[in-house]
Amino acid sequence: MPLIDRVVAGIPQPFRSIALRHSELIKFAIVGATTMVFDLAIFYSLSLTVLESKPVVAKIFSGVMATILSYILNREWSFKNRGGRERHHEALLFFTISGIGVILAAAPLWIANNVFDIREGQTTLTALIIIDFVLNYVIGNLLQMVFRFWALRRFAFPDENGRGIIATSLIEDEPDPDLDPDVDPDDEQTQFMGHS
C-alpha cells in the first residue's frame, strides 16, 4: 500500500524504526479497524431491525462476516511474509482462533444482557447504541484483538518468511571460499556444490 509507505516514510526517527519493527502489529491494527467498521455496519443494521431482540445473535453474525474479510486481509497483507503451514490448515487455525475471538468480543454483551439485564432499563435508542458500542467495539474488540494477534502469530502464521519469499538463510549457509579457509575452491566437490 503506497499510502501507508508514504505515511511511514514521513514519521520522524526514532519513531520510524519503531513503526518498521512493529509493522505486523500496525498492519494488523489497520485490518482490525477496517473489519471493525464492516462489523459495526452489519451489527447495527441487524440489531436495530430484524434482530432487535437478539443483539448477541446479530453480534455473532456480524463477527463471522468480519472474520472472513479479516482472513483475506491478514493473509494477503498483515502476515504476508509468514506462513509455514498448508493453506487449508492455516485457514482452519485462522477461523478457529477467530471464532474464539468472536466469542470473546460477544462475551461483554452477553454478560451485560444475561447477567445484569442492562437492556431492560434502557428506553432510548441512543442509550442502547452507546451501550452496545462500548460493550462490543471497545471492551469486546480489545479482548479479541490481543488474543488474536498473539494466537495468529503463534499458531496460524508461525514462520516469518514462511510463504512466498526465498529464505536468505539458504544463501547464508553456503560457505564462501574467500572467507572460509577450510573450503578449497579447486576441490571438485566444492565446485559440484556450486562454490567456485
Side-chain angles (χ1 to χ4, degrees), residues 67-125:
T67 300
I68 292 168
L69 178 62
S70 176
Y71 175 68
I72 295 165
L73 296 176
N74 277 309
R75 184 178 199 287
E76 299 303 323
W77 189 51
S78 302
F79 300 116
K80 74 177 181 179
N81 297 333
R82 289 183 166 269
R85 300 198 183 280
E86 293 180 24
R87 189 169 189 139
H88 68 279
H89 190 198
E90 176 186 274
L92 178 64
L93 284 168
F94 183 92
F95 287 110
T96 301
I97 290 164
S98 296
I100 295 168
V102 169
I103 292 168
L104 284 174
L109 185 64
W110 184 87
I111 292 168
N113 281 290
N114 295 307
V115 176
F116 298 111
D117 291 324
I118 202 162
R119 281 181 168 270
E120 295 299 319
Q122 304 304 320
T123 56
T124 67
L125 181 62

Short mmCIF file of all heavy atoms in Angstrom, two decimals, residues 67-125:
data_model
loop_
_atom_site.label_atom_id
_atom_site.label_comp_id
_atom_site.label_asym_id
_atom_site.label_seq_id
_atom_site.Cartn_x
_atom_site.Cartn_y
_atom_site.Cartn_z
N THR A 67 -14.85 -11.70 10.18
CA THR A 67 -13.75 -12.66 10.26
C THR A 67 -13.33 -13.15 8.88
O THR A 67 -12.14 -13.31 8.60
CB THR A 67 -14.13 -13.84 11.17
OG1 THR A 67 -14.42 -13.33 12.47
CG2 THR A 67 -13.04 -14.87 11.25
N ILE A 68 -14.30 -13.38 8.01
CA ILE A 68 -13.98 -13.80 6.65
C ILE A 68 -13.17 -12.71 5.94
O ILE A 68 -12.14 -12.99 5.31
CB ILE A 68 -15.27 -14.14 5.88
CG1 ILE A 68 -15.90 -15.40 6.47
CG2 ILE A 68 -14.97 -14.34 4.38
CD1 ILE A 68 -17.31 -15.69 5.99
N LEU A 69 -13.61 -11.46 6.08
CA LEU A 69 -12.87 -10.35 5.50
C LEU A 69 -11.48 -10.24 6.14
O LEU A 69 -10.48 -10.02 5.46
CB LEU A 69 -13.64 -9.04 5.67
CG LEU A 69 -12.96 -7.78 5.15
CD1 LEU A 69 -12.72 -7.87 3.64
CD2 LEU A 69 -13.79 -6.55 5.49
N SER A 70 -11.42 -10.44 7.44
CA SER A 70 -10.15 -10.36 8.17
C SER A 70 -9.15 -11.41 7.68
O SER A 70 -7.96 -11.13 7.56
CB SER A 70 -10.42 -10.53 9.66
OG SER A 70 -9.21 -10.54 10.38
N TYR A 71 -9.62 -12.62 7.41
CA TYR A 71 -8.72 -13.66 6.92
C TYR A 71 -8.07 -13.24 5.61
O TYR A 71 -6.85 -13.36 5.44
CB TYR A 71 -9.46 -14.98 6.73
CG TYR A 71 -8.60 -16.05 6.10
CD1 TYR A 71 -7.52 -16.59 6.80
CD2 TYR A 71 -8.83 -16.50 4.81
CE1 TYR A 71 -6.70 -17.56 6.22
CE2 TYR A 71 -8.02 -17.47 4.23
CZ TYR A 71 -6.97 -18.00 4.94
OH TYR A 71 -6.16 -18.94 4.38
N ILE A 72 -8.88 -12.74 4.72
CA ILE A 72 -8.35 -12.33 3.41
C ILE A 72 -7.31 -11.22 3.58
O ILE A 72 -6.21 -11.29 3.04
CB ILE A 72 -9.50 -11.90 2.48
CG1 ILE A 72 -10.41 -13.10 2.19
CG2 ILE A 72 -8.96 -11.29 1.19
CD1 ILE A 72 -11.75 -12.74 1.59
N LEU A 73 -7.66 -10.18 4.35
CA LEU A 73 -6.75 -9.05 4.50
C LEU A 73 -5.49 -9.40 5.30
O LEU A 73 -4.38 -8.98 4.94
CB LEU A 73 -7.48 -7.88 5.17
CG LEU A 73 -8.64 -7.27 4.38
CD1 LEU A 73 -9.34 -6.19 5.19
CD2 LEU A 73 -8.16 -6.72 3.05
N ASN A 74 -5.64 -10.17 6.36
CA ASN A 74 -4.47 -10.55 7.16
C ASN A 74 -3.54 -11.48 6.40
O ASN A 74 -2.32 -11.33 6.44
CB ASN A 74 -4.89 -11.20 8.48
CG ASN A 74 -5.21 -10.18 9.53
OD1 ASN A 74 -4.43 -9.28 9.79
ND2 ASN A 74 -6.37 -10.29 10.13
N ARG A 75 -4.11 -12.44 5.69
CA ARG A 75 -3.27 -13.40 4.95
C ARG A 75 -2.51 -12.70 3.83
O ARG A 75 -1.34 -12.98 3.61
CB ARG A 75 -4.12 -14.52 4.37
CG ARG A 75 -3.26 -15.56 3.68
CD ARG A 75 -4.08 -16.71 3.13
NE ARG A 75 -3.24 -17.86 2.89
CZ ARG A 75 -2.36 -17.95 1.90
NH1 ARG A 75 -2.20 -16.97 1.06
NH2 ARG A 75 -1.64 -19.04 1.74
N GLU A 76 -3.19 -11.81 3.13
CA GLU A 76 -2.58 -11.19 1.96
C GLU A 76 -1.78 -9.93 2.28
O GLU A 76 -1.04 -9.46 1.43
CB GLU A 76 -3.65 -10.87 0.92
CG GLU A 76 -4.39 -12.09 0.41
CD GLU A 76 -3.48 -13.15 -0.19
OE1 GLU A 76 -2.49 -12.78 -0.85
OE2 GLU A 76 -3.76 -14.35 0.02
N TRP A 77 -1.92 -9.38 3.51
CA TRP A 77 -1.22 -8.14 3.79
C TRP A 77 -0.50 -8.17 5.13
O TRP A 77 0.73 -8.07 5.19
CB TRP A 77 -2.20 -6.95 3.72
CG TRP A 77 -1.51 -5.63 3.78
CD1 TRP A 77 -0.46 -5.21 3.02
CD2 TRP A 77 -1.82 -4.57 4.67
NE1 TRP A 77 -0.10 -3.93 3.39
CE2 TRP A 77 -0.92 -3.51 4.40
CE3 TRP A 77 -2.77 -4.40 5.66
CZ2 TRP A 77 -0.93 -2.31 5.08
CZ3 TRP A 77 -2.81 -3.20 6.35
CH2 TRP A 77 -1.89 -2.17 6.05
N SER A 78 -1.23 -8.29 6.24
CA SER A 78 -0.59 -8.20 7.57
C SER A 78 0.48 -9.26 7.77
O SER A 78 1.57 -8.98 8.25
CB SER A 78 -1.64 -8.35 8.68
OG SER A 78 -2.62 -7.38 8.58
N PHE A 79 0.15 -10.51 7.45
CA PHE A 79 1.06 -11.63 7.68
C PHE A 79 1.54 -12.24 6.37
O PHE A 79 1.78 -13.44 6.29
CB PHE A 79 0.37 -12.69 8.55
CG PHE A 79 -0.07 -12.18 9.89
CD1 PHE A 79 -1.41 -12.14 10.23
CD2 PHE A 79 0.85 -11.72 10.81
CE1 PHE A 79 -1.82 -11.66 11.46
CE2 PHE A 79 0.45 -11.25 12.05
CZ PHE A 79 -0.89 -11.22 12.37
N LYS A 80 1.69 -11.41 5.33
CA LYS A 80 2.04 -11.95 4.02
C LYS A 80 3.43 -12.58 4.01
O LYS A 80 3.70 -13.42 3.17
CB LYS A 80 1.94 -10.87 2.94
CG LYS A 80 3.06 -9.85 2.97
CD LYS A 80 2.92 -8.87 1.84
CE LYS A 80 4.06 -7.87 1.90
NZ LYS A 80 3.99 -6.93 0.81
N ASN A 81 4.30 -12.23 4.93
CA ASN A 81 5.64 -12.82 4.99
C ASN A 81 5.71 -13.98 5.95
O ASN A 81 6.79 -14.48 6.24
CB ASN A 81 6.67 -11.76 5.40
CG ASN A 81 6.78 -10.66 4.37
OD1 ASN A 81 6.50 -10.86 3.20
ND2 ASN A 81 7.15 -9.48 4.82
N ARG A 82 4.57 -14.38 6.48
CA ARG A 82 4.53 -15.51 7.40
C ARG A 82 3.79 -16.66 6.76
O ARG A 82 3.04 -16.48 5.82
CB ARG A 82 3.83 -15.12 8.71
CG ARG A 82 4.63 -14.20 9.55
CD ARG A 82 3.91 -13.92 10.86
NE ARG A 82 4.83 -13.31 11.76
CZ ARG A 82 5.60 -13.98 12.62
NH1 ARG A 82 5.51 -15.26 12.71
NH2 ARG A 82 6.44 -13.34 13.40
N GLY A 83 3.95 -17.82 7.31
CA GLY A 83 3.25 -18.97 6.77
C GLY A 83 3.75 -20.22 7.43
O GLY A 83 3.75 -20.31 8.65
N GLY A 84 4.21 -21.14 6.63
CA GLY A 84 4.77 -22.36 7.18
C GLY A 84 3.77 -23.49 7.30
O GLY A 84 4.13 -24.57 7.72
N ARG A 85 2.53 -23.24 6.93
CA ARG A 85 1.51 -24.29 7.00
C ARG A 85 0.84 -24.43 5.65
O ARG A 85 0.83 -23.50 4.85
CB ARG A 85 0.47 -23.94 8.05
CG ARG A 85 1.02 -23.78 9.44
CD ARG A 85 -0.08 -23.89 10.47
NE ARG A 85 0.41 -23.66 11.80
CZ ARG A 85 1.06 -24.57 12.53
NH1 ARG A 85 1.27 -25.75 12.05
NH2 ARG A 85 1.47 -24.28 13.75
N GLU A 86 0.24 -25.59 5.42
CA GLU A 86 -0.57 -25.74 4.22
C GLU A 86 -1.77 -24.82 4.34
O GLU A 86 -2.26 -24.54 5.45
CB GLU A 86 -1.03 -27.19 4.09
CG GLU A 86 0.13 -28.15 3.81
CD GLU A 86 -0.35 -29.58 3.68
OE1 GLU A 86 -1.53 -29.79 3.35
OE2 GLU A 86 0.47 -30.47 3.92
N ARG A 87 -2.27 -24.37 3.20
CA ARG A 87 -3.31 -23.34 3.20
C ARG A 87 -4.57 -23.77 3.96
O ARG A 87 -5.14 -22.99 4.72
CB ARG A 87 -3.65 -22.94 1.77
CG ARG A 87 -4.55 -21.74 1.74
CD ARG A 87 -4.66 -21.20 0.34
NE ARG A 87 -5.36 -19.96 0.39
CZ ARG A 87 -5.02 -18.91 -0.31
NH1 ARG A 87 -3.98 -18.95 -1.09
NH2 ARG A 87 -5.72 -17.81 -0.25
N HIS A 88 -5.02 -25.01 3.77
CA HIS A 88 -6.24 -25.45 4.46
C HIS A 88 -6.02 -25.53 5.97
O HIS A 88 -6.91 -25.21 6.75
CB HIS A 88 -6.76 -26.77 3.88
CG HIS A 88 -5.87 -27.95 4.15
ND1 HIS A 88 -4.75 -28.22 3.39
CD2 HIS A 88 -5.93 -28.90 5.10
CE1 HIS A 88 -4.15 -29.30 3.87
NE2 HIS A 88 -4.84 -29.74 4.90
N HIS A 89 -4.82 -25.93 6.38
CA HIS A 89 -4.50 -25.99 7.81
C HIS A 89 -4.43 -24.58 8.40
O HIS A 89 -4.95 -24.31 9.48
CB HIS A 89 -3.18 -26.73 7.99
CG HIS A 89 -2.86 -27.07 9.42
ND1 HIS A 89 -1.62 -27.39 9.82
CD2 HIS A 89 -3.63 -27.12 10.53
CE1 HIS A 89 -1.61 -27.63 11.12
NE2 HIS A 89 -2.82 -27.47 11.57
N GLU A 90 -3.80 -23.68 7.65
CA GLU A 90 -3.71 -22.28 8.05
C GLU A 90 -5.10 -21.65 8.19
O GLU A 90 -5.38 -20.98 9.18
CB GLU A 90 -2.89 -21.54 6.99
CG GLU A 90 -2.78 -20.05 7.18
CD GLU A 90 -2.08 -19.42 5.99
OE1 GLU A 90 -0.83 -19.39 6.00
OE2 GLU A 90 -2.77 -18.99 5.06
N ALA A 91 -5.97 -21.91 7.20
CA ALA A 91 -7.33 -21.36 7.24
C ALA A 91 -8.12 -21.92 8.43
O ALA A 91 -8.83 -21.19 9.12
CB ALA A 91 -8.06 -21.65 5.93
N LEU A 92 -7.99 -23.23 8.67
CA LEU A 92 -8.69 -23.84 9.80
C LEU A 92 -8.24 -23.22 11.12
O LEU A 92 -9.07 -22.88 11.97
CB LEU A 92 -8.45 -25.35 9.81
CG LEU A 92 -9.09 -26.12 10.96
CD1 LEU A 92 -10.61 -26.02 10.89
CD2 LEU A 92 -8.65 -27.57 10.95
N LEU A 93 -6.94 -23.04 11.29
CA LEU A 93 -6.43 -22.41 12.51
C LEU A 93 -6.89 -20.96 12.62
O LEU A 93 -7.29 -20.50 13.69
CB LEU A 93 -4.90 -22.48 12.55
CG LEU A 93 -4.31 -23.83 12.89
CD1 LEU A 93 -2.82 -23.85 12.60
CD2 LEU A 93 -4.58 -24.18 14.33
N PHE A 94 -6.85 -20.23 11.49
CA PHE A 94 -7.28 -18.83 11.50
C PHE A 94 -8.73 -18.72 11.95
O PHE A 94 -9.06 -17.91 12.82
CB PHE A 94 -7.12 -18.20 10.11
CG PHE A 94 -7.48 -16.74 10.09
CD1 PHE A 94 -6.50 -15.78 10.30
CD2 PHE A 94 -8.78 -16.32 9.89
CE1 PHE A 94 -6.82 -14.43 10.30
CE2 PHE A 94 -9.11 -14.98 9.89
CZ PHE A 94 -8.12 -14.03 10.10
N PHE A 95 -9.61 -19.54 11.35
CA PHE A 95 -11.03 -19.44 11.69
C PHE A 95 -11.33 -19.96 13.09
O PHE A 95 -12.23 -19.46 13.76
CB PHE A 95 -11.89 -20.11 10.62
CG PHE A 95 -11.95 -19.31 9.36
CD1 PHE A 95 -11.32 -19.75 8.21
CD2 PHE A 95 -12.59 -18.09 9.32
CE1 PHE A 95 -11.35 -18.99 7.05
CE2 PHE A 95 -12.62 -17.32 8.16
CZ PHE A 95 -12.00 -17.77 7.02
N THR A 96 -10.57 -20.93 13.57
CA THR A 96 -10.74 -21.40 14.95
C THR A 96 -10.34 -20.29 15.94
O THR A 96 -11.08 -19.99 16.88
CB THR A 96 -9.89 -22.67 15.21
OG1 THR A 96 -10.31 -23.68 14.30
CG2 THR A 96 -10.04 -23.15 16.64
N ILE A 97 -9.19 -19.69 15.70
CA ILE A 97 -8.73 -18.59 16.56
C ILE A 97 -9.70 -17.42 16.48
O ILE A 97 -10.06 -16.83 17.50
CB ILE A 97 -7.30 -18.16 16.15
CG1 ILE A 97 -6.30 -19.26 16.51
CG2 ILE A 97 -6.91 -16.83 16.77
CD1 ILE A 97 -4.95 -19.12 15.84
N SER A 98 -10.16 -17.12 15.28
CA SER A 98 -11.10 -16.01 15.11
C SER A 98 -12.45 -16.32 15.73
O SER A 98 -13.12 -15.42 16.24
CB SER A 98 -11.23 -15.65 13.64
OG SER A 98 -10.00 -15.19 13.15
N GLY A 99 -12.85 -17.59 15.68
CA GLY A 99 -14.10 -17.99 16.35
C GLY A 99 -14.03 -17.75 17.85
O GLY A 99 -14.98 -17.26 18.46
N ILE A 100 -12.89 -18.09 18.42
CA ILE A 100 -12.69 -17.80 19.85
C ILE A 100 -12.73 -16.29 20.07
O ILE A 100 -13.31 -15.79 21.04
CB ILE A 100 -11.37 -18.41 20.35
CG1 ILE A 100 -11.45 -19.94 20.27
CG2 ILE A 100 -11.06 -17.96 21.77
CD1 ILE A 100 -10.13 -20.65 20.46
N GLY A 101 -12.14 -15.54 19.12
CA GLY A 101 -12.17 -14.08 19.20
C GLY A 101 -13.59 -13.52 19.13
O GLY A 101 -13.92 -12.57 19.84
N VAL A 102 -14.43 -14.09 18.26
CA VAL A 102 -15.83 -13.65 18.16
C VAL A 102 -16.55 -13.88 19.50
O VAL A 102 -17.30 -13.03 19.97
CB VAL A 102 -16.56 -14.37 17.00
CG1 VAL A 102 -18.06 -14.14 17.06
CG2 VAL A 102 -16.01 -13.90 15.67
N ILE A 103 -16.29 -15.02 20.11
CA ILE A 103 -16.90 -15.32 21.41
C ILE A 103 -16.40 -14.33 22.47
O ILE A 103 -17.19 -13.82 23.27
CB ILE A 103 -16.62 -16.78 21.82
CG1 ILE A 103 -17.37 -17.72 20.87
CG2 ILE A 103 -17.02 -17.03 23.27
CD1 ILE A 103 -16.96 -19.17 20.97
N LEU A 104 -15.09 -14.04 22.45
CA LEU A 104 -14.55 -13.05 23.40
C LEU A 104 -15.17 -11.67 23.18
O LEU A 104 -15.46 -10.96 24.14
CB LEU A 104 -13.03 -12.95 23.26
CG LEU A 104 -12.21 -14.08 23.85
CD1 LEU A 104 -10.74 -13.91 23.49
CD2 LEU A 104 -12.38 -14.13 25.35
N ALA A 105 -15.36 -11.29 21.91
CA ALA A 105 -15.96 -9.99 21.62
C ALA A 105 -17.41 -9.92 22.03
O ALA A 105 -17.90 -8.87 22.45
CB ALA A 105 -15.82 -9.67 20.13
N ALA A 106 -18.14 -11.04 21.93
CA ALA A 106 -19.56 -11.07 22.30
C ALA A 106 -19.77 -11.25 23.80
O ALA A 106 -20.85 -10.96 24.32
CB ALA A 106 -20.28 -12.18 21.54
N ALA A 107 -18.74 -11.71 24.52
CA ALA A 107 -18.88 -12.00 25.95
C ALA A 107 -19.33 -10.81 26.79
O ALA A 107 -20.24 -10.95 27.61
CB ALA A 107 -17.58 -12.59 26.49
N PRO A 108 -18.75 -9.61 26.64
CA PRO A 108 -19.23 -8.49 27.45
C PRO A 108 -20.71 -8.16 27.21
O PRO A 108 -21.44 -7.86 28.15
CB PRO A 108 -18.34 -7.32 27.02
CG PRO A 108 -17.11 -7.96 26.49
CD PRO A 108 -17.56 -9.23 25.86
N LEU A 109 -21.14 -8.25 25.95
CA LEU A 109 -22.55 -8.00 25.63
C LEU A 109 -23.45 -9.07 26.24
O LEU A 109 -24.50 -8.77 26.80
CB LEU A 109 -22.73 -7.95 24.11
CG LEU A 109 -24.12 -7.58 23.60
CD1 LEU A 109 -24.47 -6.17 24.01
CD2 LEU A 109 -24.17 -7.72 22.08
N TRP A 110 -23.01 -10.33 26.17
CA TRP A 110 -23.79 -11.43 26.75
C TRP A 110 -23.90 -11.27 28.26
O TRP A 110 -24.97 -11.42 28.82
CB TRP A 110 -23.13 -12.77 26.41
CG TRP A 110 -23.94 -13.94 26.90
CD1 TRP A 110 -24.95 -14.56 26.24
CD2 TRP A 110 -23.81 -14.60 28.16
NE1 TRP A 110 -25.47 -15.58 27.02
CE2 TRP A 110 -24.79 -15.62 28.20
CE3 TRP A 110 -22.97 -14.42 29.26
CZ2 TRP A 110 -24.93 -16.46 29.30
CZ3 TRP A 110 -23.12 -15.26 30.35
CH2 TRP A 110 -24.10 -16.27 30.37
N ILE A 111 -22.79 -10.96 28.91
CA ILE A 111 -22.80 -10.77 30.37
C ILE A 111 -23.70 -9.61 30.75
O ILE A 111 -24.52 -9.71 31.68
CB ILE A 111 -21.36 -10.56 30.90
CG1 ILE A 111 -20.56 -11.86 30.74
CG2 ILE A 111 -21.37 -10.10 32.36
CD1 ILE A 111 -19.06 -11.70 30.95
N ALA A 112 -23.59 -8.50 30.02
CA ALA A 112 -24.41 -7.33 30.33
C ALA A 112 -25.90 -7.61 30.15
O ALA A 112 -26.72 -7.15 30.94
CB ALA A 112 -24.00 -6.15 29.45
N ASN A 113 -26.26 -8.39 29.13
CA ASN A 113 -27.67 -8.67 28.86
C ASN A 113 -28.23 -9.81 29.70
O ASN A 113 -29.37 -9.74 30.14
CB ASN A 113 -27.88 -8.99 27.38
CG ASN A 113 -27.91 -7.74 26.54
OD1 ASN A 113 -28.84 -6.96 26.61
ND2 ASN A 113 -26.86 -7.53 25.78
N ASN A 114 -27.45 -10.85 29.90
CA ASN A 114 -27.97 -12.04 30.57
C ASN A 114 -27.69 -12.09 32.06
O ASN A 114 -28.41 -12.76 32.79
CB ASN A 114 -27.43 -13.29 29.89
CG ASN A 114 -27.93 -13.40 28.47
OD1 ASN A 114 -29.13 -13.34 28.22
ND2 ASN A 114 -27.02 -13.53 27.52
N VAL A 115 -26.68 -11.42 32.52
CA VAL A 115 -26.38 -11.41 33.95
C VAL A 115 -26.93 -10.14 34.60
O VAL A 115 -27.57 -10.19 35.64
CB VAL A 115 -24.86 -11.55 34.20
CG1 VAL A 115 -24.53 -11.43 35.68
CG2 VAL A 115 -24.34 -12.87 33.64
N PHE A 116 -26.71 -9.00 33.94
CA PHE A 116 -27.11 -7.72 34.53
C PHE A 116 -28.37 -7.11 33.93
O PHE A 116 -28.82 -6.06 34.38
CB PHE A 116 -25.95 -6.71 34.42
CG PHE A 116 -24.72 -7.14 35.16
CD1 PHE A 116 -23.57 -7.51 34.47
CD2 PHE A 116 -24.71 -7.19 36.55
CE1 PHE A 116 -22.44 -7.92 35.14
CE2 PHE A 116 -23.57 -7.60 37.23
CZ PHE A 116 -22.43 -7.96 36.54
N ASP A 117 -28.97 -7.73 32.92
CA ASP A 117 -30.19 -7.22 32.25
C ASP A 117 -30.08 -5.73 31.93
O ASP A 117 -31.00 -4.95 32.19
CB ASP A 117 -31.43 -7.48 33.11
CG ASP A 117 -31.76 -8.96 33.20
OD1 ASP A 117 -31.56 -9.65 32.19
OD2 ASP A 117 -32.20 -9.40 34.28
N ILE A 118 -29.01 -5.33 31.32
CA ILE A 118 -28.73 -3.92 31.07
C ILE A 118 -29.72 -3.29 30.07
O ILE A 118 -30.01 -2.11 30.15
CB ILE A 118 -27.27 -3.73 30.63
CG1 ILE A 118 -26.84 -2.31 30.90
CG2 ILE A 118 -27.07 -4.09 29.19
CD1 ILE A 118 -25.35 -2.11 30.91
N ARG A 119 -30.25 -4.07 29.15
CA ARG A 119 -31.20 -3.53 28.16
C ARG A 119 -32.57 -3.25 28.76
O ARG A 119 -33.30 -2.42 28.22
CB ARG A 119 -31.36 -4.49 26.99
CG ARG A 119 -30.24 -4.43 26.00
CD ARG A 119 -30.50 -5.40 24.84
NE ARG A 119 -29.59 -5.15 23.76
CZ ARG A 119 -29.82 -4.33 22.76
NH1 ARG A 119 -30.94 -3.66 22.71
NH2 ARG A 119 -28.93 -4.16 21.81
N GLU A 120 -32.91 -3.92 29.80
CA GLU A 120 -34.25 -3.77 30.40
C GLU A 120 -34.53 -2.35 30.85
O GLU A 120 -35.62 -1.85 30.70
CB GLU A 120 -34.43 -4.75 31.57
CG GLU A 120 -34.40 -6.20 31.17
CD GLU A 120 -35.49 -6.58 30.19
OE1 GLU A 120 -36.63 -6.11 30.35
OE2 GLU A 120 -35.20 -7.34 29.26
N GLY A 121 -33.54 -1.69 31.40
CA GLY A 121 -33.77 -0.35 31.94
C GLY A 121 -33.62 0.77 30.93
O GLY A 121 -33.90 1.93 31.24
N GLN A 122 -33.19 0.46 29.72
CA GLN A 122 -32.94 1.50 28.72
C GLN A 122 -34.16 1.70 27.83
O GLN A 122 -34.69 0.75 27.28
CB GLN A 122 -31.73 1.12 27.85
CG GLN A 122 -30.48 0.85 28.64
CD GLN A 122 -30.08 2.01 29.54
OE1 GLN A 122 -30.18 3.16 29.16
NE2 GLN A 122 -29.66 1.68 30.75
N THR A 123 -34.59 2.94 27.72
CA THR A 123 -35.77 3.23 26.90
C THR A 123 -35.43 3.97 25.62
O THR A 123 -36.23 3.98 24.69
CB THR A 123 -36.78 4.07 27.71
OG1 THR A 123 -36.12 5.25 28.17
CG2 THR A 123 -37.31 3.28 28.90
N THR A 124 -34.28 4.60 25.55
CA THR A 124 -33.94 5.36 24.35
C THR A 124 -33.02 4.58 23.44
O THR A 124 -32.18 3.78 23.90
CB THR A 124 -33.25 6.70 24.71
OG1 THR A 124 -31.98 6.43 25.27
CG2 THR A 124 -34.10 7.51 25.67
N LEU A 125 -33.16 4.82 22.16
CA LEU A 125 -32.33 4.18 21.16
C LEU A 125 -30.88 4.62 21.31
O LEU A 125 -29.96 3.81 21.17
CB LEU A 125 -32.85 4.52 19.76
CG LEU A 125 -32.11 3.91 18.58
CD1 LEU A 125 -32.18 2.39 18.64
CD2 LEU A 125 -32.68 4.43 17.28
#
